[in-house]
Amino acid sequence: MDRFRAVARTGGFRFSAAWLAFGFLLVLLSQTLPHDYGFLELGWLFTLSVYDLVLAMLGLSVALAFAETVAAAAAIPVMFALVLLPIMIFFDEVFFLIRETVLGYNLFLVAPLAVMVTGLALWLPGRWRDRAAVLAAAIVAFSLSLFVGLDDLGVGVADFASGTLFCSLWLVTAPGLVLRQFRGGWLTIPSRIIGSWLVVIAIVVGVSLYVPPKRIAPPPPQPSTDTSIRLDDGTVIDVPDPTDEEQ
């Protein structure tokens, strides 16, 4: 508690806590106040709906909190923005190039791969973790850009893409900046637990994409027992039952 009180008095903690509260406040106001949704707001909310990538971005935030240097911590959101922003701006051109490669036939594997790499990065020690986190940030940003670009609202709408960028950077930085104020050895076990969860989630999502859903065939149509037809004017015409004629 003494350490918490000391850290809580610092400007770094106040800024981090305010940045974290800012995102929650926006979502709270968005969901409680009746209003017309704008594309900027929809972009923010859309990002929160991509659950597996949200977990991956929170994993990147833990890696940011655990980074050994300020430069290593800053490299994670910087790499994330450097990959996400250009692809969203030039999505049509980039996606055309992607379709011409082998990756174009396996885009469904990008999101599970991003989650898995993020989880594995949290298991690595020291500088290896920092480097793996930067790589994971690039893959997560690439995967998120595909979700935004292929969404009907995301193509060509600058406000929607901007909302996505702001929300994703908030997810990557806000929790990690708060945790970084208390950085220490106690983070090792929680970070590895989170990393294990991410790996398991990536495996489950990846396998579910390969296993086709079980489809239940609809029941066969039953023969109609109605022997009359009602016209629009209310007239009822009796139709003879074919089975009666056979008998």
Side-chain angles (χ1 to χ4, degrees), residues 101-179:
T101 65
V102 179
L103 184 61
Y105 301 95
N106 300 280
L107 289 178
F108 61 93
L109 293 176
V110 176
L113 177 63
V115 178
M116 179 171 290
V117 172
T118 305
L120 293 175
L122 294 177
W123 269 86
L124 297 176
R127 294 182 179 179
W128 290 105
R129 179 185 58 249
D130 296 340
R131 295 171 182 173
V134 173
L135 173 63
I139 300 175
V140 174
F142 175 71
S143 181
L144 181 61
S145 67
L146 294 178
F147 274 93
V148 177
L150 295 175
D151 186 81
D152 292 339
L153 294 176
V155 177
V157 180
D159 290 345
F160 186 93
S162 299
T164 300
L165 177 65
F166 296 152
C167 183
S168 57
L169 287 178
W170 176 78
L171 287 169
V172 171
T173 58
L177 288 176
V178 174
L179 287 175

Side-chain angles (χ1 to χ4, degrees), residues 4 31 50 66 74 83-84 89 99 102 109 120 122 125-126 131 156 158 190 194 198 208-209 221 232 235:
F4 178 82
Q31 298 304 300
V50 189
F66 224 164
V83 173
L84 181 65
I89 294 175
R99 288 189 302 174
V102 179
L109 293 176
L120 293 175
L122 294 177
R131 295 171 182 173
I194 295 173
L198 292 177
S208 66
L209 295 175
D232 293 339
T235 305

Side-chain angles (χ1 to χ4, degrees), residues 61-87:
S61 194
V62 174
L64 182 150
F66 224 164
E68 292 191 341
T69 63
V70 175
I76 296 174
V78 169
M79 175 59 72
F80 189 93
L82 287 177
V83 173
L84 181 65
L85 191 57
I87 295 179

Side-chain angles (χ1 to χ4, degrees), residues 38-48 159-161 163-165 167:
F39 281 111
L40 184 68
E41 184 180 4
L42 289 174
W44 183 289
L45 297 176
F46 172 81
T47 305
L48 298 176
D159 290 345
F160 186 93
T164 300
L165 177 65
C167 183

